[in-house]
Amino acid sequence: MFKHADKVVLGIDIGGSHISSALVYPENWNIKEGTFSKNKIETQQSDPAIILENWIETIKQSLAELDTKNLEGIGVAMPGPFDYTNGISLLDGVSKYGSLYGINIKEIISSQLNLPEDCPIAFENDAGCFGLGEALVGDGKDHYRVIAITLGTGFGAAFIENKKLIKADKRIPANGYLYNIPYKNGLAEDYISSRWLIKKYNDISGKGTSEVKEIADAAAEKTDTNAIGLFENYGIDIANCLTSWITSFKADCIVIGGSISKSSELFLPALLRDLKSKSIDIPVKISKKMELFAIAGAAGLISQDSIQEKKINESKPWRKSSQPLLPQHIPQHVNKKEDYNIYPFQHLGEAQIFSGFRSLADWFLQQKTVAIDGFIGNDWQSIRSYLSNIFKEKNLNVLWYETSAFAKQEEEIEKLVKPFLGPADSIWGTKTNLQLQDFYDHKRLANLQLISKEYDIIIIIGVGAGLCKQAMPLIYIDLPKNEIQYRMRAGSISNLGTAQQFSLPETYKRFYFVDWVVLSSYRESIKNKISIVADAQWMHSINWSFYSAIAKGLETISKTTIRVRPWFQAGAWGGQWMKNHISSLNKNEVNYAWSFELIVPENGIVFESDGNLLEVSFDWLMDCCSENILGKDKQRFGKEFPIRFDFLDTFDGGNLSIQCHPSLEYIRENFGENITQDETYYILDCKEDAGVYLGFQDDIKPGEFREELEKSEEARTPIEIEKYVQCHPSHKHDLFLIPNKTIHSAGKENLVLEISATPYIFTFKMYDWVRLDLDGEPRPISIQHAFNNLDFDRKGNKVKSELISQVRLIEKNDQYELFHLPTHAEHFYDVHRLEFMNDAFIKTNDQCHVLMLVEGTAVMVKMSQGVERQFNYAETFIIPAAAKEYQLINLGKSTAKVIKAFIK
């Protein structure tokens, strides 16, 4: 497989009481002379540091005279349970190896041997490596499809086709494992294992035998009929478990290894007779050199194919979006001061944000134990790899524990989350009440004792590291929710507690209703343990700050001004206004449907120091400073920010779907939200022929309307929608009122500023103009949900009088005019518009204000604390209740118009 004959692979076989290793020539899979090394691991030895040291010493003996540039990789045969993909020990209760639980063995080997970063290390169960070795150089080498089994403490198996280990194939059992297939009154391993032989023999003989060898010796002497019959039944059981898989896999050879295979003369005749009785004629061979073939098979894991596959996996996109990442540092080319800024930041002071893994690694030098925790979606493998390479340079001996080892089985997690995911065909679930510890063996993780002997630094890394009760500094790595979704679309991340890749709607549903709820609550619970906050949204680097600095920054902005980082998304109906008016946006995007101006469950706050940028989610602000933000409304909304601003762009685009939103009772009962999706459409800009669909025609017949909608959904045919729904012309600065249960849609040629309550995904679409989404798929229609909520009394002239805001002047002085744009009685927020040429002074009255300059160039916000900050046209910003008062200064030459939303 390899081009150069001087290349070698290291094969390692780790057994219950030994480790052996050797260098292997990949062109013929023969062991390089003089490189075989073997050491016994004392059965009473359970100190993990000593076990690992013995392993490394054995491996070093095999590598003693090797020029590492000729090492193609390392393959390891390892007993299970084990995370073979990531190289993490899950060995539990297996004599001494249970003390290795949670340790990253792959990282130990790489760091202790000081291997190059690109040197692959592969792991596979010992039975798989044995089978692969037999197929490469043993009794199976002349066969195409080989089934290899190992008989000993357990029942191991491997399926090999064309000298490749097969793990996922409908012709074989899951993962190629036979031990867990149903058999008789249990599983196969209940009957094909040393413990079964010993127990059964003692039951029928009345003896107290503790070794299979004693039973085998008794049978071999042909005097103990119990022992003879037991081994015959053992052979029949093996044949029964193999029969269907020999047929489906079309195997042409069986190879048997393991300690019990040494007594094959006792069970093999019965096994062959049983197979022959089922018309199966296949050679069954007993391994002659199991240990050496396991080493060869382990080496065979490192092949040109596996190396090429690794390169392909590494080249796969890690995020899928046309939107650029937040710059790690302030961009050199800054837009005009009056341009809409897509990367707003808050100054944190000098020397408060540090850049790069190297600076973070330097901080580690002062520590002995560290926990690295964080939000879902982080690439923990890369984070560990970057730090590990730096530690290697510094000759530090580092031990890594992985929280993934303590996660419950995926099947158990699926049962936990299922009640919160709603019907399989629904895009909605119910917000969970689960806690992060529910996803883990919490007791074991909480009480984990990190070993420190022989190591410079001990690190536990992964989601939930803070659940460990051992006292140590904690690094929390945040990740913006838009970047989580971009990684989701690329298929580079999965949901909490699972490695499965679900459909994008299903993955997002689990994020929204389970993962984000659980992890946000968890982060708040451990905030007092956090020493460092880091931002790892960049693929090859990281920015970080001490939590004390971030907390101080959050406290400061909670009393002054806040602007979150907006993000932008294309959609089936999206338009071109934002692309044409926001210079920093990617002009190659097909359109922009939404701007997440202030949808705080998914927005972040960016801090800056010395030109370095660091983003944390808005939740951090509400966790620590919600009273400063909301003032007297804190009692009502708690830590939930209640108001949402976003753009809906249909300029040169299409109509939004005909839709409605749930009532308060419905959203609480069905989806677990506290407030419902009450909206308004403020028309920031529009063309002459623009309109808004709102309310029913006076002669609406609900049954007829529903029938028409259902026919359209089934037959994919258009509806004359204005026969049922009113369409009102829209003009700049109009405000359309959309309380829950109201039928509505934004028509083409509008730039809508949507002022709303915070919930944002509960849209019941009834009609979507018979179009497909950007991926060519129909968008979900929810007629039943809609008709469970629609208010058919919102029709006729009542719509114009109640659902289109009638602007009135409520205050006028030398500074400004204040207009009231009344919202509906069901809206809990209200809207004002300030118009002024020079400036305006406003008091918060202990309430939060959400503002936007909707006409003009820019305004300066000035506060008594000496804070001055500029906000440009169409930029959303927050004035917290604790600011008490502020001055808006018009920086343009024409009248400035500023929208202000606040709680009634």
Side-chain angles (χ1 to χ4, degrees):
M1 291 185 180
F2 292 102
K3 296 180 180 179
H4 304 294
D6 58 345
K7 298 292 185 181
V8 290
V9 177
L10 178 67
I12 303 171
D13 176 37
I14 296 177
S17 60
H18 79 281
I19 175 174
S20 56
S21 62
L23 293 175
V24 177
Y25 293 115
E27 70 270 14
N28 56 19
W29 305 107
N30 289 330
I31 289 177
K32 179 177 172 63
E33 187 177 350
T35 66
F36 179 79
S37 175
K38 182 174 181 178
N39 275 310
K40 185 178 181 181
I41 308 297
E42 296 298 332
T43 54
Q44 70 272 18
Q45 180 54 257
S46 62
D47 188 321
I50 295 177
I51 294 171
L52 294 171
E53 182 181 355
N54 289 340
W55 286 4
I56 296 301
E57 286 304 313
T58 303
I59 296 167
K60 284 182 176 179
Q61 291 170 23
S62 292
L63 294 173
E65 298 181 4
L66 178 72
D67 184 344
T68 55
K69 70 181 181 182
N70 290 327
L71 183 64
E72 285 286 348
I74 298 176
V76 186
M78 178 71 74
F82 196 86
D83 181 346
Y84 294 104
T85 300
N86 298 301
I88 302 166
S89 175
L90 305 177
L91 292 161
D92 186 9
V94 184
S95 64
K96 56 196 165 288
Y97 290 160
S99 63
L100 302 178
Y101 194 93
I103 293 176
N104 192 310
I105 305 300
K106 183 176 184 178
E107 191 61 45
I108 285 285
I109 294 173
S110 177
S111 60
Q112 295 289 311
L113 300 180
N114 200 25
L115 296 176
E117 185 180 355
D118 60 352
C119 182
I121 303 175
F123 294 82
E124 187 51 72
N125 71 72
D126 42 3
C129 290
F130 160 69
L132 183 57
E134 284 286 352
L136 292 172
V137 290
D139 288 324
K141 68 179 180 180
D142 296 324
H143 296 271
Y144 189 74
R145 295 189 188 91
V146 178
I147 299 177
I149 61 173
T150 56
L151 307 174
T153 305
F155 180 29
F159 291 75
I160 297 93
E161 183 175 55
N162 193 22
K163 307 193 185 308
K164 293 181 181 178
L165 189 62
I166 306 299
K167 301 289 286 184
D169 193 296
K170 63 183 179 181
R171 300 170 297 168
I172 68 173
N175 297 310
Y177 297 155
L178 288 174
Y179 79 93
N180 58 352
I181 63 171
Y183 185 60
K184 292 184 178 178
N185 294 322
L187 303 177
E189 197 169 81
D190 295 334
Y191 301 88
I192 306 172
S193 62
S194 58
R195 67 177 181 276
W196 180 84
L197 284 168
I198 293 168
K199 182 180 184 303
K200 193 70 174 177
Y201 180 73
N202 289 334
D203 286 346
I204 60 179
S205 68
K207 297 181 179 179
T209 299
S210 60
E211 297 287 342
V212 172
K213 188 178 185 304
E214 295 178 28
I215 307 171
D217 289 343
E221 292 173 2
K222 301 187 184 302
T223 57
D224 190 330
T225 55
N226 288 328
I228 293 169
L230 195 61
F231 271 102
E232 287 185 349
N233 288 333
Y234 184 73
I236 293 170
D237 285 335
I238 296 171
N240 286 336
C241 288
L242 286 174
T243 297
S244 62
W245 304 110
I246 293 172
T247 303
S248 62
F249 188 56
K250 297 182 179 178
D252 55 12
C253 178
I254 295 172
V255 182
I256 301 177
S259 58
I260 300 177
S261 71
K262 297 174 184 177
S263 303
S264 60
E265 72 279 1
L266 301 175
F267 64 81
L268 188 57
L271 188 158
L272 291 172
R273 283 196 306 272
D274 192 81
L275 290 178
K276 189 173 182 179
S277 71
K278 299 168 182 172
S279 300
I280 296 175
D281 185 13
I282 185 172
V284 179
K285 302 180 180 182
I286 306 300
S287 177
K288 304 177 184 67
K289 301 177 180 178
M290 181 177 175
E291 183 178 36
L292 295 180
F293 291 158
I295 289 174
L301 299 173
I302 306 298
S303 65
Q304 283 292 70
D305 291 340
S306 66
I307 292 172
Q308 187 63 30
E309 184 179 351
K310 181 175 182 287
K311 290 179 179 177
I312 291 172
N313 289 334
E314 288 176 348
S315 67
K316 287 181 179 178
W318 59 291
R319 68 193 293 268
K320 184 178 180 182
S321 175
S322 65
Q323 304 309 304
L325 275 161
L326 170 77
Q328 194 173 358
H329 316 284
I330 296 176
Q332 291 183 347
H333 301 290
V334 180
N335 296 330
K336 295 178 182 177
K337 196 174 181 181
E338 295 78 19
D339 284 349
Y340 179 103
N341 184 4
I342 65 174
Y343 302 127
F345 55 79
Q346 329 278 334
H347 293 286
L348 202 59
E350 295 182 0
Q352 298 300 320
I353 298 176
F354 310 94
S355 188
F357 283 104
R358 191 165 296 277
S359 64
L360 185 58
D362 288 339
W363 173 83
F364 273 83
L365 301 180
Q366 308 164 41
Q367 317 305 320
K368 185 62 179 176
T369 56
V370 179
I372 304 178
D373 205 328
F375 215 72
I376 194 169
N378 278 301
D379 187 344
W380 301 110
Q381 183 175 337
S382 290
I383 292 167
R384 186 191 63 246
S385 178
Y386 284 117
L387 288 170
S388 181
N389 288 333
I390 298 168
F391 294 148
K392 284 182 191 177
E393 293 176 14
K394 296 178 180 292
N395 295 316
L396 294 173
N397 197 2
V398 181
L399 185 67
W400 296 82
Y401 286 86
E402 308 269 350
T403 60
S404 61
F406 301 87
K408 290 179 178 177
Q409 294 293 319
E410 288 195 18
E411 296 80 5
E412 190 174 352
I413 291 173
E414 288 299 305
K415 290 179 182 178
L416 279 175
V417 304
K418 187 176 181 180
F420 305 99
L421 298 180
D425 60 349
S426 173
I427 60 175
W428 301 288
T430 304
K431 282 195 171 179
T432 187
N433 57 9
L434 293 171
Q435 296 181 342
L436 185 60
Q437 53 259 40
D438 297 327
F439 290 74
Y440 290 91
D441 180 347
H442 180 231
K443 185 176 180 180
R444 183 167 197 164
L445 178 54
N447 297 317
L448 176 65
Q449 296 297 311
L450 305 178
I451 63 172
S452 58
K453 185 179 178 181
E454 308 296 333
Y455 293 96
D456 298 308
I457 306 171
I458 298 90
I459 301 170
I460 179 168
I461 185 172
V463 174
L467 291 172
C468 180
K469 291 180 180 178
Q470 186 162 325
M472 57 187 146
L474 187 146
I475 299 171
Y476 191 92
I477 303 179
D478 211 1
L479 190 66
K481 291 194 178 75
N482 64 308
E483 288 300 325
I484 291 174
Q485 292 177 67
Y486 298 157
R487 295 183 185 192
M488 171 191 79
R489 294 170 193 170
S492 64
I493 64 172
S494 53
N495 288 105
L496 183 63
T498 179
Q500 293 186 61
Q501 292 290 326
F502 302 108
S503 67
L504 297 186
E506 182 71 14
T507 302
Y508 181 83
K509 178 165 69 171
R510 286 179 69 138
F511 279 149
Y512 185 94
F513 290 100
V514 178
D515 301 356
W516 293 351
V517 178
V518 167
L519 291 171
S520 294
S521 174
Y522 167 69
R523 183 189 55 236
E524 183 184 5
S525 72
I526 63 167
K527 67 182 180 183
N528 292 331
K529 297 173 64 174
I530 297 174
S531 300
I532 284 175
V533 178
D535 180 355
Q537 61 184 291
W538 307 281
M539 188 174 189
H540 302 295
S541 192
I542 195 168
N543 281 358
W544 62 278
S545 178
F546 291 105
Y547 176 68
S548 56
I550 297 296
K552 185 177 179 180
L554 293 169
E555 178 73 17
T556 297
I557 65 174
S558 75
K559 298 176 181 177
T560 54
T561 63
I562 305 159
R563 183 169 174 232
V564 302
R565 179 174 71 86
W567 61 282
F568 307 83
Q569 187 166 310
W573 43 265
Q576 304 299 312
W577 190 96
M578 286 188 278
K579 190 188 295 187
N580 293 330
H581 288 77
I582 301 177
S583 60
S584 301
L585 286 181
N586 176 17
K587 303 302 188 232
N588 295 321
E589 180 62 273
V590 59
N591 64 50
Y592 288 103
W594 297 273
S595 168
F596 283 54
E597 288 294 304
L598 184 69
I599 307 182
V600 293
E602 297 197 23
N603 283 116
I605 297 168
V606 181
F607 287 107
E608 178 274 339
S609 175
D610 302 335
N612 299 321
L613 301 179
L614 182 152
E615 184 172 0
V616 296
S617 73
F618 192 89
D619 297 337
W620 290 76
L621 181 65
M622 296 304 290
D623 286 344
C624 72
C625 307
S626 55
E627 189 164 351
N628 287 347
I629 302 296
L630 297 181
K632 63 186 179 184
D633 296 312
K634 161 74 186 299
Q635 187 174 0
R636 179 177 180 184
F637 295 102
K639 295 184 177 182
E640 188 170 9
F641 192 82
I643 294 176
R644 162 167 63 95
F645 272 30
D646 60 279
F647 286 143
L648 308 174
D649 183 353
T650 64
F651 257 72
D652 302 316
N655 303 316
L656 270 68
S657 62
I658 300 296
Q659 56 190 242
C660 77
H661 305 299
S663 70
L664 182 60
E665 296 77 17
Y666 199 84
I667 202 170
R668 285 177 173 173
E669 180 180 344
N670 290 277
F671 308 120
E673 294 283 350
N674 295 318
I675 54 181
T676 194
Q677 198 162 322
D678 287 309
E679 297 179 342
T680 64
Y681 283 174
Y682 186 90
I683 306 302
L684 191 73
D685 200 359
C686 62
K687 294 186 179 180
E688 287 186 7
D689 55 347
V692 169
Y693 295 90
L694 185 66
F696 288 109
Q697 299 290 1
D698 199 34
D699 59 352
I700 184 69
K701 295 180 177 61
E704 178 186 322
F705 181 47
R706 179 165 186 164
E707 184 178 349
E708 192 80 1
L709 292 171
E710 290 172 344
K711 284 181 182 178
S712 173
E713 182 185 15
E714 182 178 353
R716 305 291 298 161
T717 53
I719 294 174
E720 188 182 339
I721 199 67
E722 290 185 38
K723 178 180 176 183
Y724 307 98
V725 182
Q726 296 184 46
C727 185
H728 308 271
S730 57
H731 310 90
K732 287 184 69 171
H733 304 301
D734 282 348
L735 183 68
F736 295 89
L737 309 179
I738 311 167
N740 62 83
K741 303 182 292 184
T742 304
I743 196 165
H744 67 281
S745 166
K748 295 185 290 186
E749 316 303 355
N750 285 300
L751 192 281
V752 173
L753 165 60
E754 189 171 37
I755 303 172
S756 173
T758 293
Y760 57 105
I761 67 167
F762 302 95
T763 298
F764 302 146
K765 301 182 184 72
M766 290 162 269
Y767 177 62
D768 201 28
W769 312 95
V770 199
R771 66 181 162 209
L772 304 177
D773 65 19
L774 295 180
D775 293 321
E777 298 293 332
R779 301 173 79 212
I781 300 296
S782 306
I783 295 172
Q784 182 62 56
H785 275 304
F787 273 75
N788 288 344
N789 286 276
L790 281 170
D791 185 342
F792 284 95
D793 285 335
R794 290 174 181 161
K795 62 181 182 178
N797 292 330
K798 193 175 183 180
V799 174
K800 290 184 179 179
S801 62
E802 294 186 5
L803 300 183
I804 300 178
S805 187
Q806 305 301 311
V807 183
R808 59 190 180 91
L809 180 66
I810 59 173
E811 185 179 343
K812 183 176 181 179
N813 56 39
D814 294 339
Q815 290 181 304
Y816 61 83
E817 292 181 327
L818 179 63
F819 294 90
H820 185 203
L821 286 69
T823 56
H824 192 271
E826 292 192 27
H827 288 108
F828 64 72
Y829 57 90
D830 214 342
V831 178
H832 285 172
R833 186 171 67 232
L834 288 139
E835 300 185 7
F836 53 96
M837 275 299 299
N838 297 313
D839 60 1
F841 287 89
I842 303 106
K843 292 183 181 295
T844 67
N845 296 318
D846 200 26
Q847 286 193 296
C848 181
H849 294 174
V850 182
L851 305 103
M852 177 184 288
L853 179 65
V854 294
E855 191 168 302
T857 305
V859 293
M860 179 72 74
V861 175
K862 190 173 181 179
M863 296 183 171
S864 57
Q865 304 97 317
V867 173
E868 292 186 358
R869 190 169 182 192
Q870 178 174 322
F871 296 101
N872 302 324
Y873 175 64
E875 292 183 346
T876 302
F877 58 101
I878 301 169
I879 303 296
K884 296 185 178 179
E885 61 182 15
Y886 56 100
Q887 180 184 13
L888 294 176
I889 302 171
N890 184 7
L891 301 180
K893 296 180 180 179
S894 59
T895 300
K897 296 183 180 181
V898 175
I899 280 290
K900 179 185 72 176
F902 56 97
I903 304 301
K904 289 181 179 178

